[in-house]
Amino acid sequence: MTIGPIELEIIRHRLEAINADAGQTLVRVSGSQIASEASDFNTAIMTADGTVVSCSKFILVQSTSLNLIVRDILDCYGENPGIGPGDQFLTNDPYLGTLHQPDVTLVAPIFDGERLVAWAGSTVHEPDVGGPVSGGFNYAARSIFDEAIPIPPIKIVEAGRIRRDIERDYLARTRTPELNALDLLGQIAANRASERQVLELCAAYGTDGLVEAMDRLLASTEAAFRRRLADLPDGVWRENSFIQHEQRSGADYLPNQVYAVRLVMAKTGDKLTFDFTASDDEAPGAVNATYPTLANFTMAAVLVHICQGLPWMPGAIWRTIDIRTRKRSVVDAEWPAGVAMSTGTSAQAIRNCVSGCLARLLDGSAAHAHMAMASSQSSGAGGMSISGHRLDGSPFTTLFLDELSGGGGATCNADGSDTSGTATSPGATPSNLETNEAYYPVLYLTRRELADSGGPGTHRGGVGALHAYRPHQTERSIALLSMAQGLQHPATMGAAGGEPGLPSGFAIMSNDVPVAGSKGWSDLADVTDLRLPDAATRLHPDQILVTSSQGGGGFGDPLERDPMSVATDVLAGLVSVGGALRDFGVVLRLDGDQAVIDHAASVAERQARLRARLGGREPRKAEGPVSGRRLSSHFRAVASPAGEQVVCASCGHGICNAGASLYASLVVHEAAAGERSAITDRYPGSERFRIRHFYCPSCARQVDVQVALAGDPVLEAMEVPAAHQPIEARR
């Protein structure tokens, strides 16, 4: 059958529908709330060589490098144990292709007769996969041998039948064999559903027709993506992100050390290069990322930020991307480094770096600036493994994903979505709290949106949420292993001068504290001793655990936000009256169900802040749109007798010559990491971080905000090359 353009689109949409159906099949069969409630899984369809041609949109990072797993199986198992119809292979090896050991992947070859046509795959985060600590995470891990030992690909289904010996070995490793067994059945059923429907496409269009269609879809998506890249400006952008974990020197522990992920991104023509080689050395613990994790989180950010309106087809996009890294670094660990906690630590820093650079790239294009988006929430203290015993003595362990209630990033024309979760996990969500209570001995006291947590900006970042629960129907304490990131500094960055979202929060307090009636951390900060969670953290029956997820980053200068929008947020409970003044310079009061703005006082307040940004000088008035080559929302390049010059897009002030250091020519103000937070500065280690605000030296417009280590040099986040200077020469 001839595959024309119409048939090609039908097949593309059919592959997406097959993936969605596989996901629903998995959820219906699975008994774990991690899959059925939080949607911590994903499915994919690949070509015969493992190239991912279609993936679901639940946890994107779980499927964009499945090609690495399939490639290994094809290379190693062709003769022994062989690859045949009805087979399925299981692995959770993060050095091979999964994210970390709790993510268990199952891939299945799809044969039409004796011909290998495609592969189906699915990944689910399991509540436990063995190792010395319940849940699969171990703060004290010195290497992977202190974690769950990864399983290389094993044929667990052979010719359509589950191999009971392999299944028995797999389930013997876990503390939750019943749930893992149900997830396994769900994944097997999902892959079989995909196989059946792919073979229906073979029957409808011919096997050759389907294979040709998949190849053409990959080629056309690659071509479309290359055209989009070619439309974007060439340049170099930088972003840094930070995680905390212990370091060791011999037998000594050095708690709460900082590891930096540093990215230099270059776009040249129709190719993107992500250079992570300046990132810190790997940690002697569980927070390192393997190369597959680095690749997955990089690709997921590219799909979300640049592929708007294009098919999300990782196999096509990989052909345009070059990742440069360094072995034995925190983003590319070498066996046997510990990696089980990577998805909530180093991997989030990777995503934040990629998202930040892509936002700067897109903001530099007049045609595509509307796609630029600030960072969404990062992993935080609300993501944790909990374990213990119920009242009847039976053990439990699971993963709570309350952190997935964080805010989305703002854009140039819209606020971020409130409590929307992580952008690269668009289908994931916190479990229903009543489901958590039904499965486990906890009682929730509150789950609600957290005012003032969204990053301030011309457009506000989405707000995060506050959660609180206590042990219930158990007389024993509950062990808590929190990812504990983003407590000491903001982890979700703004864009184009927007502020970061509020950092995470974590506290254990007495159960007589009226958490449910509080306004948030401003009411709770003084009633508890704020400490960083560690391997010994436990929640006792007379205590409450309170956590908060992060807000999304804002977009644009907060002093340029429409006061009416601020008033609307105040009425909705998303911004407090005090936050309206502190974050946006808007003076208002509540009068019944109305927010009354004092416009004269607001104008005076904003003007005073602009003068303060310039050390008391009167700011220059904006002159209207400034012509010239667009560099970002805030900068233009214009011709001058001395060569091309960078000017402010708002007031036209000449800032520096092209090729000079842009950021050294701006006014910079440093603030404490917790400048907007009631609790951040109370966590040990927060004093090491600074928030750097950059202003136009003439009109005082806020043009960038960076999180940095105290004493680090200013990050040249955007390079403005001299005319005709090649990109390669500047990296």
Side-chain angles (χ1 to χ4, degrees):
M1 178 179 179
T2 301
I3 305 296
I6 294 176
E7 289 79 12
L8 199 63
E9 276 298 286
I10 291 173
I11 291 172
R12 179 173 72 84
H13 286 281
R14 184 68 186 125
L15 291 174
E16 292 183 358
I18 291 171
N19 263 325
D21 183 64
Q24 290 301 313
T25 299
L26 195 159
V27 166
R28 285 195 298 269
V29 176
S30 169
S32 167
Q33 103 281 4
I34 297 174
S36 61
E37 289 276 341
S39 298
D40 195 345
F41 71 90
N42 214 45
T43 60
I45 296 173
M46 296 153 276
T47 63
D49 68 356
T51 303
V52 180
V53 70
S54 181
C55 62
S56 293
K57 299 175 178 63
F58 293 97
I59 306 289
L60 277 176
V61 292
Q62 289 180 343
S63 61
T64 58
S65 72
L66 285 180
N67 60 300
L68 299 176
I69 295 173
V70 171
R71 189 71 261 164
D72 181 85
I73 294 170
L74 290 170
D75 290 344
C76 299
Y77 293 171
E79 294 185 4
N80 182 6
I83 304 168
D87 291 349
Q88 300 203 33
F89 296 84
L90 178 147
T91 184
N92 70 337
D93 190 343
Y95 282 93
L96 186 65
T98 66
L99 300 178
H100 58 165
Q101 298 94 308
D103 282 342
V104 175
T105 294
L106 199 69
V107 294
I110 300 174
F111 284 84
D112 186 16
E114 296 184 356
R115 181 178 179 181
L116 178 60
V117 177
W119 290 76
S122 62
T123 301
V124 177
H125 185 113
E126 296 300 334
D128 185 81
V129 287
V133 178
S134 292
F137 306 115
N138 183 6
Y139 267 120
R142 290 177 175 270
S143 74
I144 204 163
F145 297 110
D146 298 320
E147 301 175 345
I149 301 300
I151 305 170
I154 53 173
K155 187 188 290 189
I156 197 168
V157 179
E158 188 167 29
R161 297 183 63 190
I162 297 176
R163 289 193 53 178
R164 296 302 178 194
D165 55 343
I166 303 297
E167 180 193 32
R168 186 177 180 183
D169 176 75
Y170 166 58
L171 296 178
R173 299 166 179 259
T174 173
R175 298 171 178 83
T176 55
E178 296 87 357
L179 292 177
N180 291 44
L182 283 171
D183 281 343
L184 176 61
L185 292 175
Q187 289 179 268
I188 292 171
N191 286 349
R192 285 176 175 170
S194 294
E195 176 188 31
R196 174 179 54 80
Q197 294 180 75
V198 167
L199 292 178
E200 289 175 356
L201 287 177
C202 288
Y205 298 99
T207 302
D208 288 339
L210 177 61
V211 171
E212 175 199 347
M214 290 192 292
D215 289 342
R216 287 174 56 188
L217 286 171
L218 288 165
S220 62
T221 300
E222 177 191 354
F225 186 69
R226 288 188 183 276
R227 288 193 298 272
R228 175 157 294 175
L229 287 182
D231 283 344
L232 294 170
D234 289 350
V236 175
W237 298 265
R238 293 181 176 86
E239 191 69 81
N240 296 336
S241 192
F242 307 96
I243 62 171
Q244 300 85 48
H245 192 62
E246 59 196 12
Q247 284 185 344
R248 299 185 182 93
S249 176
D252 297 327
Y253 284 70
L254 297 174
N256 192 20
Q257 299 303 296
V258 176
Y259 295 84
V261 174
R262 305 184 191 277
L263 170 62
V264 180
M265 186 189 81
K267 183 265 164 180
T268 309
D270 61 357
K271 292 188 70 68
L272 272 175
T273 300
F274 297 93
D275 190 337
F276 291 93
T277 55
S279 298
D280 285 352
D281 291 344
E282 65 185 30
V287 299
N288 304 291
T290 60
Y291 179 81
T293 302
L294 170 66
N296 268 306
F297 275 81
T298 299
M299 173 56 68
V302 170
L303 292 174
V304 167
H305 288 271
I306 298 191
C307 293
Q308 298 175 39
L310 300 178
W312 285 10
M313 201 171 293
I317 310 305
W318 276 129
R319 300 171 182 177
T320 71
I321 289 175
D322 179 26
I323 295 179
R324 299 178 184 177
T325 183
R326 177 174 57 86
K327 282 295 179 186
R328 303 198 69 182
S329 66
V330 72
V331 299
D332 190 0
E334 189 170 71
W335 177 276
V339 297
M341 292 178 65
S342 63
T343 57
T345 55
S346 54
Q348 297 292 325
I350 290 165
R351 177 181 66 84
N352 289 338
C353 285
V354 176
S355 297
C357 286
L358 293 177
R360 298 181 194 279
L361 165 63
L362 291 164
D363 190 43
S365 166
H368 299 289
H370 65 282
M371 294 166 52
M373 180 172 65
S375 293
S376 66
Q377 68 136 98
S378 187
S379 179
M384 69 180 70
S385 174
I386 73 168
S387 60
H389 293 80
R390 300 178 177 87
L391 195 61
D392 62 4
S394 61
F396 69 89
T397 184
T398 192
L399 181 72
F400 274 6
L401 291 170
D402 289 340
E403 63 173 350
L404 289 176
S405 58
T411 67
C412 67
N413 51 26
D415 292 345
S417 298
D418 298 315
T419 59
S420 59
T422 304
T424 50
S425 300
T429 179
S431 300
N432 186 303
L433 59 84
E434 292 181 347
T435 301
N436 286 351
E437 292 173 336
Y439 273 66
Y440 304 104
V442 299
L443 178 68
Y444 276 79
L445 305 177
T446 191
R447 174 186 277 180
R448 65 180 190 273
E449 291 180 324
L450 183 60
D452 299 328
S453 57
T458 307
H459 295 284
R460 174 186 53 77
V463 301
L466 185 78
H467 307 259
Y469 60 79
R470 62 175 177 83
H472 180 62
Q473 294 186 342
T474 181
E475 297 176 350
R476 308 188 193 186
S477 62
I478 296 174
L480 305 174
L481 200 153
S482 168
M483 293 300 173
Q485 297 301 311
L487 293 170
Q488 303 164 31
H489 65 88
T492 56
M493 296 307 300
E499 299 277 354
L502 206 66
S504 298
F506 178 99
I508 293 176
M509 56 189 68
S510 170
N511 63 9
D512 59 1
V513 174
V515 172
S518 72
K519 295 179 181 179
W521 289 115
S522 59
D523 289 350
L524 301 173
D526 293 329
V527 296
T528 186
D529 180 15
L530 291 165
R531 300 181 182 182
L532 295 171
D534 57 28
T537 301
R538 303 190 73 87
L539 181 66
H540 295 276
D542 61 347
Q543 294 176 323
I544 301 170
L545 172 67
V546 185
T547 64
S548 61
S549 52
Q550 301 149 4
F555 195 102
D557 190 339
L559 296 185
E560 297 176 14
R561 184 164 176 79
D562 180 4
M564 285 301 299
S565 296
V566 177
T568 299
D569 285 344
V570 169
L571 289 175
L574 304 175
V575 173
S576 67
V577 172
L581 176 60
R582 180 194 64 218
D583 298 336
F584 302 99
V586 174
V587 181
L588 53 74
R589 60 182 174 83
L590 288 175
D591 184 5
D593 60 354
Q594 299 292 317
V596 181
I597 302 171
D598 187 330
H599 290 280
S602 297
V603 170
E605 175 68 25
R606 289 181 165 186
Q607 283 300 117
R609 294 196 186 185
L610 292 174
R611 287 192 294 270
R613 289 176 176 181
L614 299 182
R617 290 188 291 113
E618 195 68 29
R620 181 179 177 179
K621 299 293 185 182
E623 297 182 348
V626 176
S627 61
R629 177 167 62 91
R630 182 186 178 99
L631 301 175
S632 74
S633 295
H634 301 305
F635 303 114
R636 302 289 184 268
V638 299
S640 72
E644 204 170 36
Q645 187 178 44
V646 179
V647 304
C648 174
S650 177
C651 69
H653 173 73
I655 296 173
C656 66
N657 291 327
S661 175
L662 171 61
Y663 282 78
S665 305
L666 300 172
V667 175
V668 60
H669 169 73
E670 281 201 0
E675 62 174 346
R676 297 179 48 243
S677 168
I679 59 171
T680 300
D681 287 342
R682 303 192 186 195
Y683 289 113
S686 62
E687 69 279 357
R688 298 169 298 185
F689 297 96
R690 296 289 184 271
I691 311 296
R692 290 176 176 162
H693 304 261
F694 297 87
Y695 311 122
C696 168
S698 178
C699 68
R701 192 183 207 188
Q702 184 162 284
V703 296
D704 204 356
V705 182
Q706 298 176 6
V707 175
L709 285 171
D712 271 6
V714 168
L715 179 68
E716 197 72 14
M718 178 180 69
E719 288 190 15
V720 181
H724 311 302
Q725 183 179 1
I727 297 299
E728 288 293 332
R730 295 183 277 114
R731 280 190 282 156

